[in-house]
Amino acid sequence: MKLYRTDRGNFVEEDAQHYRVPEMSWDDLMAREDLPEFLAGVVATARPSSEFHAARVLAPIGQQEVWAAGVTYYRSRGARMEEAKNAGGGDFYDRVYSAERPELFFKSTANRTVGPDEKVRIRRDARWSVPEPELTLLVSPAGRITGYTIGNDMSSRDIEGENPLYLPQAKVYSGSCALGPCILLATIPLPHATEIMLEIFRRGMVEFAGCVALTELKRDPQVLVEYLHRENSFPHGCFLMTGTGIVPPNAFTLASGDRIRITIQPIGVLENEVA
Ligand code: DO4
Ligand code: MG
């Protein structure tokens, strides 16, 4: 079951049919502790609607904050150690990879986040920019994982590598986050074999492609949520990106006009062009 936020209202999809979700704001939906069960009730009682096909799908975010976990895959640990070695920061990434406490950082708000087919941005003062394709959790105010979406944690590697204290500038800027295309309701946990695929197209040709399975994710998503909720409250619910396991080679940097396609089945495909 998938939930879409569109310019014509909110729709739930089940078995290729779409059902309008009765009058309720997106924020009220995101904050529901019983979101999967509530939407199962909508599907059971509503009639299918064809209106969805004329609608534009929007980023699935309202007043939720987006947070992110870092260095949760071995590949990310290695890439960060390499980029920060001249700044003497490489050791921190190795230590956080093995530590009990995960790295969690504030990533985005709705005004910095784009939806499917909208444009992500690279910073004008960065020389080395990459997308980070990440399984992203929808977390209820009480800390229940109620859904999954696809996230792109756009990052400026040169700024981050120059000094770990520059992390917020490398990660948080206008157009630095993409989410979508929908919320896959967490009726069952995603299988460990789930794959995250990244393709980057330049002038219509594949410039980079990579793939990682959730078996490589070192941290249990529920434990990441537990740390995020320590001493923090999220009255509207929140999103938590779970880190990247795909890092393009060091010679690669994004350019304007590149298309970034992230696929996580059964959630779907999130595609964005670089402005
Ligand atoms: O520690 C820096 C950021 C790590 C990150 O965003 C990731 O591993 O996905
Ligand atoms: Mg990341």
Side-chain angles (χ1 to χ4, degrees):
M1 208 168 29
K2 295 178 183 180
L3 175 65
Y4 290 88
R5 177 172 168 256
T6 82
D7 61 351
R8 295 186 179 212
N10 306 321
F11 292 86
V12 57
E13 179 189 313
E14 170 83 328
D15 292 335
Q17 301 277 17
H18 296 88
Y19 305 82
R20 178 177 281 286
V21 180
E23 281 318 304
M24 185 174 292
S25 74
W26 187 256
D27 284 336
D28 286 347
L29 282 169
M30 295 297 91
R32 285 193 80 111
E33 297 298 330
D34 63 346
L35 185 64
E37 297 78 15
F38 171 73
L39 292 175
V42 170
V43 168
T45 52
R47 263 195 283 176
S49 156
S50 56
E51 251 189 298
F52 175 80
H53 300 290
R56 189 166 71 89
V57 175
L58 306 174
I61 184 170
Q63 292 197 65
Q64 297 69 44
E65 293 175 355
V66 183
W67 284 69
V71 200
T72 50
Y73 290 83
Y74 195 72
R75 174 74 183 106
S76 179
R77 167 195 167 274
R80 313 279 165 195
M81 288 174 72
E82 170 78 18
E83 79 191 8
K85 65 174 192 273
N86 294 336
D91 181 43
F92 284 103
Y93 295 105
D94 183 36
R95 279 161 51 187
V96 82
Y97 181 75
S98 324
E100 195 178 321
R101 182 188 290 274
E103 177 196 3
L104 294 174
F105 59 92
F106 176 79
K107 171 64 189 175
S108 195
T109 47
N111 68 305
R112 301 179 177 95
T113 301
V114 302
D117 294 320
E118 293 183 325
K119 290 188 179 178
V120 287
R121 292 187 58 254
I122 48 182
R123 287 185 68 113
R124 277 194 291 266
D125 58 356
R127 285 173 286 100
W128 187 15
S129 301
V130 293
E132 294 191 355
E134 307 192 7
L135 172 68
T136 301
L137 315 172
L138 169 64
V139 185
S140 74
R144 177 184 179 200
I145 299 171
T146 51
Y148 305 99
T149 189
I150 302 174
N152 180 354
D153 171 20
M154 292 284 287
S155 302
S156 313
R157 291 191 66 191
D158 55 327
I159 295 176
E160 180 185 319
E162 189 179 333
N163 188 322
L165 296 181
Y166 293 158
L167 187 79
Q169 293 175 74
K171 295 285 192 179
V172 187
Y173 58 89
S174 301
S176 67
C177 179
L179 289 181
C182 65
I183 307 284
L184 174 74
L185 280 310
T187 37
I188 46 161
L190 277 183
H192 288 298
T194 300
E195 288 186 331
I196 301 173
M197 267 184 297
L198 170 66
E199 295 159 286
I200 303 170
F201 299 91
R202 187 164 292 168
R203 291 182 285 278
M205 309 282 282
V206 178
E207 185 74 13
F208 172 80
C211 185
V212 71
L214 286 187
T215 42
E216 304 290 314
L217 176 59
K218 184 163 186 279
R219 309 267 180 178
D220 176 353
Q222 196 61 64
V223 175
L224 293 175
V225 170
E226 193 266 312
Y227 269 96
L228 182 63
H229 271 242
R230 284 190 192 183
E231 308 299 329
N232 243 326
S233 63
F234 301 92
H236 305 288
C238 67
F239 290 98
L240 177 56
M241 296 177 147
T242 55
T244 189
I246 305 173
V247 184
N250 289 354
F252 175 86
T253 186
L254 284 170
S256 176
D258 286 356
R259 286 198 75 79
I260 302 163
R261 183 186 294 162
I262 305 171
T263 306
I264 309 180
Q265 295 301 2
I267 305 171
V269 180
L270 174 65
E271 194 163 325
N272 301 94
E273 187 178 308
V274 178

